[in-house]
Amino acid sequence: MRLFLASYRFGAHYDRLAALAGAPGRVAVIGNACDAWPAARAAAITSDLVPLRRLGYQAEEVDLREYAGRTEQLAARLADFPLVWVRGGNTFVLRAQFARSGADLVIPELLAADALVYAGYSAGACVLAPDLHGLETADDPAEVRPVCGIEPRWDGLGLIDRPIVPHIDSATDPDGDGNRLAAAYQAAGVTHWALTDDDVVVVDGETVRCFC
C-alpha cells in the first residue's frame, strides 16, 4: 500500500510523492469533499488540476457523484489511473460520497493490489483514519444529508491507524480548529498525527513515516 497524506497539497515534500508514484502520468482528481459548496466547487477542482498539470501529470476529475450505485463502473474507471489525488473540503461529505459510489471498497482493493497510489490532503487524508469523531469541530456533518441524501458516516476507511489533524498553525485555518482538535486528542490520550501545511505522512508497504 502506497499513501501520500498531507495537510495541504504536496506540503514541503513533493519529492516523496514522486518517489512513490514514479514519473508523472495519469491522475484521477477526486474533489467530492467540495460538493456542499457549489459556488466554489469548480474553482476548487481547477486549483488542483492546474498545479498537477504543470508538474507533467495528465490530471482529470473523476466525480464520484456520477458513480452512485455504480461500484463496478467506478472500479473500471479508477483501474485506468496509477495515481488518485483526493483534495480537501468537508471530510463527512467526502466519506458519504465514498460510500455512495463504493469508492470505500474500490480504493482499498486497488491499494491492496498495489495498483494505485493514493495522495490526499486535508479531508482527503483525514478520511483514511479509523474514525472521524472529533472532525465535526471543523467540518459540518449537517452538510451531508442535503448533498448526499444519506446520514453522515462516522467511520473512516481505516487505512491508517490513527487520525490526522491538518492545518496546524496554518493561515488556512484562521480559527485554529486544527490546533484545538490536536489539543483535545492529546488530552484524551488519542494517538494522532498533527500536521502543519508543510508536513506529510508517507506509507510505502510496511514503512510508515511522518515528515513532520
Side-chain angles (χ1 to χ4, degrees):
M1 183 168 65
R2 291 174 290 162
L3 310 175
F4 177 89
L5 307 176
S7 173
Y8 186 71
R9 294 196 176 145
F10 307 109
H13 300 280
Y14 171 68
D15 59 318
R16 301 294 174 178
L17 176 60
L20 274 186
R26 298 187 70 197
V27 53
V29 174
I30 294 176
N32 296 95
C34 297
D35 286 349
W37 313 325
R41 190 185 189 283
I45 302 300
T46 299
S47 74
D48 283 286
L49 292 172
V50 169
L52 285 163
R53 288 170 178 166
R54 284 176 178 163
L55 288 165
Y57 291 94
Q58 302 163 49
E60 55 190 281
E61 183 185 4
V62 173
D63 188 345
L64 298 182
R65 294 176 297 184
E66 298 176 3
Y67 294 92
R70 302 175 62 228
T71 302
E72 290 185 6
Q73 290 86 347
L74 178 63
R77 177 80 165 118
L78 290 182
D80 289 336
F81 295 91
L83 174 65
V84 63
W85 176 270
V86 187
R87 67 155 287 128
N90 185 318
T91 308
F92 296 100
V93 171
L94 180 64
R95 178 67 184 94
Q97 300 293 39
F98 269 43
R100 294 178 69 234
S101 64
D104 54 354
L105 303 175
V106 170
I107 288 175
E109 288 177 356
L110 290 170
L111 288 168
D114 201 32
L116 184 74
V117 175
Y118 182 106
Y121 72 89
S122 195
C126 293
V127 76
L128 299 193
D131 184 87
L132 304 184
H133 285 89
L135 291 174
E136 69 275 12
T137 59
D139 296 345
D140 187 359
E143 291 185 337
V144 172
R145 174 160 278 284
V147 173
C148 306
I150 62 173
E151 293 301 317
R153 295 276 297 258
W154 294 86
D155 61 321
L157 271 63
L159 295 177
I160 53 178
D161 66 358
R162 67 196 69 181
I164 284 177
V165 182
H167 309 310
I168 298 298
D169 299 327
S170 172
T172 65
D173 181 19
D175 296 328
D177 293 327
N179 289 65
R180 280 194 296 274
L181 179 54
Y185 279 153
Q186 185 172 1
V190 176
T191 302
H192 63 284
W193 283 302
L195 305 183
T196 72
D197 286 349
D198 283 341
D199 299 336
V200 301
V201 173
V202 175
V203 178
D204 188 1
E206 298 298 317
T207 302
V208 181
R209 295 183 65 186
C210 183
F211 295 91
C212 306

